[in-house]
Amino acid sequence: MSTLRDLAEEHTHLRPADIDHLHRIAGDWQLLSDLSFADLLLWVPVDADGTFLCVAQVRPTTAPTAYQDDQVGRIVGGPEVAHLGVAYSQGRIWREGDPVWYGDVPARHEAIPVRLRTAEGEAGEVIAVVGRDTNLSTARTPSQLELNYLTTADDLAQMIADGTFPPPRHPGETTSAPRVGDGLVRLDAGGKVTYASPNAQSAYRRLGYASHLVGEDLAALHRRLAGDPLDGTEASNGILAALRGEAPPRREIDARGATMLTRALPLMPAGVPIGALVLVRDITEVRRRDRALITKDATIREIHHRVKNNLQTVAALLRLQARRVSMPEARVALEESVRRVASIALVHETLSMSSDEAVEFDGIVDRVASAATEVAATEVSVGMRRRGSFGVLPAEIATSLVMVLNELLLNAVEHGFPPADEAEEPPVPAASGMVPVAAPEVDPSLRPEVVVSAHRFRKMLHVSVADNGRGLPPGFDAERASRLGLQIVRALVTGELRGTIELRAGANGGTEAVLVVPLARNAHDGRSQG
């Protein structure tokens, strides 16, 4: 299904500012649909002959829909959209006409012109039409609630025609807001409550106000109810701002252990301030769960911090033991273990500062690469470079991948650029039993370098660690290699990461290790899937 922007750009000559305004309407018109008990369809003119295209649709949550099928993408002309033509050409709300039938459903047509106000604040030209179509099959005598809903809907419809609804969104404010069914309060021009829905009355009762809201000064009531004077003042100022014709940000009120979210909207049909509409929602349980999640998140971060400290302690003990060991082979083995433990500690250090179980992996790779050049047993100065981005990785992938990269980077530095005396020695016979020949010499004109590359493609992470060193020994077989580091790499890649690894000669000399790791997770067993 094409989006509003796609349809408008493909079929109309609307300006980007016009399309942005239509997006704002579509982002806020569920309110008008629920108050109207009607479907809303956003129509834009296609040709000068009176043809219109439906670019968006919303159904009410308070009444049955007039359309069983989506109307988005439908292009209509002729008598069927004559009411849209009147609203578009004359710039007024069209309410005349008899009910029409959509199959077995009788419906009432209305058409609301959409204006975008100019930079000077004046009413601009009509750019679209909102069709308000009401299912009449369940028509009955309206209750007080329904009458107040419909009256408020008419005021907002006039504000769409004036170009003053929806109000501009505040920076950083989400589209989440109380809905009509959560609780609705209507105020007169003086800020007194003229109507409060039953759900709104219940929400205020949770805050400790047991009396009827009708007749109350809502701004003053918010100041009295709020447990925090600052919150009460902000909530009160929001009501007063709406009465002045402004659109304040959403506010929360905490009192007696309960929390209520409020949204105040000015009512200014034809530019005349007549009061305000206040939507309220009891979010006590939502905030309670938020607090529980914050506590749980802090606990998890503290666990990662302690694991990092414990791993660093283990690394320090291994380093101390390495200094006391006289056998060179044992000392080397302990020092390698120190580096492996330290690389895992890096992941937990990052997780201890993160708000979720995921890490920005680029920084970890850079630190591991820098450490590899410092501790590798080689006299050659090797440069490290990262190309591309790993992005954010889940902890279960990051922990294993950092160990794999640590081993590959150390191997690339130590075996790709060995000390001068070692480079002159003949290579050790390969585990495959093949007779080796002299290893290729390193081009002295090339600066020793290891490049770590990463990119994502179709939910797979592709990683390569390439050096421009002396390359693999002839007859090298990664599957039969006896080095512990390569055994760890193979076990982690094929086991924990459920990926593949290939060691091969680089295109321009040297060695390249290529990894492919799935990023998607199977919900049943927690394993990665390709």
Side-chain angles (χ1 to χ4, degrees), residues 238-309:
I239 300 296
L240 298 176
L243 294 172
R244 293 193 301 267
E246 302 171 13
R250 292 148 202 172
R251 304 291 189 189
E252 291 184 10
I253 303 177
D254 292 299
R256 299 168 60 92
T259 305
M260 186 175 71
L261 176 65
T262 68
R263 183 191 185 191
L265 293 169
L267 294 177
M268 299 178 60
V272 179
I274 62 170
L277 174 67
V278 182
L279 300 173
V280 300
R281 180 197 295 167
D282 182 359
I283 57 171
T284 304
E285 291 305 310
V286 174
R287 287 294 171 261
R288 183 189 63 79
R289 289 195 295 268
D290 286 347
R291 288 191 289 270
L293 287 173
I294 291 173
T295 301
K296 180 180 178 181
D297 177 64
T299 302
I300 292 173
R301 289 205 304 271
E302 177 61 22
I303 290 172
H304 283 301
H305 179 71
R306 295 188 182 188
V307 170
K308 182 263 297 184
N309 288 344

Side-chain angles (χ1 to χ4, degrees), residues 30 44 50 56 122 157 238 245 249 322 360 364 379 420 422 451 485 489 507 510 515:
Q30 184 69 60
V44 294
E122 300 177 356
E360 280 283 357
I364 294 177
E379 300 170 356
E422 182 181 331
V451 180
V489 167
L515 291 80

